[in-house]
Amino acid sequence: MQNHPKFRAWRTRVAAAALMLTVALGALARPAEAQGLSFIRDTEIEDLLSDYAQPIFRAAGLGTGRIAMRIIRHEAFNAFVLDGRNVFIHTGALQVSETPNQVIGVIAHEAGHIANAHLSDLRSKIAADPTRGFLSQFLFVGVMLSQIRGNELVADQAGLRYLNATKQSGRGMIETFERFAQEESFSLQRTPQSLFARTHPFAADRVTQLRSRAQASPFWDTRDPPALQLRHDMMRAKISGYLDRPQIVFNRYPQSDQSLPARYGRAIGTFFGSGVERAIPLVDALIKDQPNNPYFHELKADFLMRSGRAREAVPLLRRSAQLAGANAPLITVRLAQAMVTAEDPNLDETINLARKSLIQDPNPQAYRILANAYYKQNKLPEADLATAEALFLEGDLKQAQIFAKRAQPRLKNGSPNWIRAGDIVNFKISG
């Protein structure tokens, strides 16, 4: 379904609205300074969020594999939905949340919006306004889906039902709304007529309405499993290491803290603060403690890639991909990227890796790797089509159509590639 042109068109609009779509393949993004918002891709974090979300989605009757968790780089504590296939969550929400249950509570609320069809009004507005303005407003201001206060309360109550159905506590949802109440009070002191205040019920009122129901659940005192809490703490450390200034990382995770998450965060902060030679021993120590952790091998490879040492990164990424298993397309793409950067002569393997990743996760970087390899093999029509696919996913429809037009006459008439080139050439954004 994600290969369908209509889905790609939606993603094109979201990319345009956010002004910049950053796809970081492999280790977590540390995007360059840019205007607008950026999406972050990371296998470790996406897998964790999927593990949080899938039981909730099943309880909500939304199936499995239908809805994806999307991570936006933004410091605000926020999550929202724009359609029935994606839940967007800010890095700020992930960093501030102290427990898995707090994030799961947020996901349960957003699932309530999807399950109760609170999306039709927003979809009609998107269709009516293909400009950047409308979506940008929602993304930048941090407004959640519904403009109708009643929808928020319905989503809250639905979220509690899903938590009960999965034998999880509503404590995290209450704690989240308490945080919203504190921020809301501060925000209203500065901007009494804020957009949030006009579109949402007051967080304090929501806490009052939900607390008694949440506390009545037999699962109110249920705690997150220690292994899940550790993964949560590792996620927070990773986000901090990649997105915060090194000194902030070191203040948050001082040397006196020898926990695994603290060491993880410090290793990343050390790389960005002092360089690869100081950071590699810290990662090696992590690998020694957990040799079968795919993300530690990936982390070391990322440091080497960023330091111009792609050839050394290739075996590490091979090991990371092996340990991560079949559901790690981003690591597979990162391996292909390292091979291209290192000028590995095995172009067929590079092509196979990129194509394999695209089966699970269409992304522009994989298409650009394909284009690079096809050009080197003198398969120019295939290279032009791969470039068109990358541009299409990045939201540059005009340039995508230029490359598709160039590719189609040289592709076999009626072949899948010929048909796909035609789809891009003839594609139009409705509305």
Side-chain angles (χ1 to χ4, degrees):
M1 183 65 181
Q2 288 193 352
N3 280 318
H4 195 281
K6 288 185 178 179
F7 180 80
R8 291 184 174 181
W10 174 88
R11 185 154 49 184
T12 295
R13 278 193 190 161
V14 173
L19 303 182
M20 174 185 172
L21 172 60
T22 299
V23 180
L25 302 164
L28 180 65
R30 190 183 177 89
E33 291 295 324
Q35 294 182 349
L37 298 176
S38 57
F39 290 101
I40 280 175
R41 303 297 312 276
D42 180 79
T43 302
E44 181 178 15
I45 298 175
E46 289 180 3
D47 282 354
L48 179 61
L49 293 181
S50 178
D51 288 346
Y52 288 170
Q54 292 310 314
I56 294 294
F57 293 157
R58 284 194 295 270
L62 301 174
T64 58
R66 170 187 156 190
I67 302 172
M69 296 296 302
R70 307 289 183 185
I71 308 163
I72 290 180
R73 179 182 178 177
H74 198 284
E75 64 184 9
F77 191 107
N78 193 34
F80 57 91
V81 289
L82 290 176
D83 65 356
R85 294 194 59 83
N86 299 272
V87 173
F88 299 87
I89 190 163
H90 288 189
T91 52
L94 299 178
Q95 274 192 279
V96 171
S97 296
E98 297 177 351
T99 66
N101 187 244
Q102 291 176 357
V103 174
I104 293 168
V106 171
I107 295 171
H109 171 89
E110 300 307 328
H113 279 308
I114 297 174
N116 286 280
H118 294 162
L119 301 157
S120 57
D121 181 59
L122 183 58
R123 280 200 298 266
S124 66
K125 285 182 167 59
I126 294 172
D129 183 3
T131 65
R132 297 180 180 185
F134 181 76
L135 279 177
S136 297
Q137 181 184 35
F138 275 79
L139 291 170
F140 281 100
V141 177
V143 180
M144 289 188 276
L145 170 67
S146 178
Q147 295 186 48
I148 303 173
R149 294 187 175 193
N151 284 356
E152 292 298 326
L153 299 177
V154 169
D156 293 344
Q157 294 164 5
L160 280 182
R161 290 198 303 273
Y162 308 149
L163 291 168
N164 282 332
T166 54
K167 299 182 179 180
Q168 299 182 86
S169 175
R171 186 187 299 270
M173 180 181 284
I174 299 301
E175 291 170 344
T176 295
F177 288 147
E178 288 175 340
R179 180 180 294 111
F180 278 148
Q182 294 173 354
E183 294 179 358
E184 181 179 80
S185 176
F186 178 71
S187 175
L188 289 175
Q189 289 176 15
R190 294 184 302 168
T191 55
Q193 299 302 317
S194 70
L195 182 59
F196 183 91
R198 294 199 307 271
T199 59
H200 282 64
F202 289 109
D205 294 339
R206 297 166 80 177
V207 171
T208 299
Q209 293 189 39
L210 290 173
R211 182 184 296 279
S212 59
R213 181 174 298 185
Q215 289 178 334
S217 167
F219 309 111
W220 171 254
D221 291 322
T222 300
R223 300 294 181 179
D224 297 305
L228 195 65
Q229 182 66 56
L230 176 60
R231 291 176 65 193
H232 186 85
D233 294 340
M234 294 291 282
M235 172 188 68
R236 297 175 69 201
K238 190 173 197 177
I239 292 173
S240 179
Y242 272 99
L243 301 187
D244 291 334
R245 294 192 306 275
Q247 192 54 53
I248 293 177
V249 177
F250 300 143
N251 289 340
R252 182 173 288 133
Y253 300 106
Q255 190 65 37
S256 59
D257 185 349
Q258 288 298 306
S259 67
L260 198 65
R263 292 166 58 201
Y264 199 25
R266 284 199 302 272
I268 302 169
T270 297
F271 173 77
F272 289 109
S274 303
V276 66
E277 298 302 333
R278 293 283 299 276
I280 288 296
L282 302 181
V283 185
D284 284 341
L286 293 172
I287 293 174
K288 182 178 179 181
D289 286 352
Q290 291 194 356
N292 293 326
N293 187 320
Y295 309 118
F296 291 165
H297 296 274
E298 182 193 24
L299 183 67
K300 184 176 180 179
D302 183 56
F303 291 171
L304 293 169
M305 288 281 289
R306 292 172 186 266
S307 304
R309 296 161 62 176
R311 191 171 300 278
E312 297 174 62
V314 170
L316 290 163
L317 288 166
R318 286 191 190 280
R319 180 60 175 158
S320 178
Q322 179 187 32
L323 291 170
N327 295 318
L330 298 181
I331 297 176
T332 302
V333 174
R334 189 67 164 168
L335 171 57
Q337 183 182 32
M339 293 175 66
V340 167
T341 305
E343 298 184 353
D344 191 298
N346 194 342
L347 292 175
D348 287 338
E349 183 185 6
T350 301
I351 289 171
N352 288 337
L353 288 169
R355 292 176 65 179
K356 177 183 176 182
S357 76
L358 287 168
I359 295 173
Q360 296 176 277
D361 187 80
N363 63 82
Q365 184 63 23
Y367 279 117
R368 292 198 179 279
I369 290 169
L370 279 179
N372 186 306
Y374 284 141
Y375 279 127
K376 290 182 178 179
Q377 291 184 332
N378 203 33
K379 297 179 178 179
L380 302 186
E382 290 82 358
D384 284 342
L385 178 58
T387 301
E389 294 276 19
L391 290 164
F392 189 87
L393 285 177
E394 291 167 347
D396 192 342
L397 180 59
K398 181 177 179 181
Q399 285 297 314
Q401 290 175 331
I402 289 173
F403 277 90
K405 287 178 182 177
R406 192 163 75 185
Q408 190 177 35
R410 295 174 293 161
L411 295 166
K412 183 179 179 181
N413 195 301
S415 67
N417 282 346
W418 182 88
I419 293 171
R420 179 58 192 148
D423 287 344
I424 295 175
V425 169
N426 296 317
F427 184 82
K428 294 180 181 179
I429 298 178
S430 61

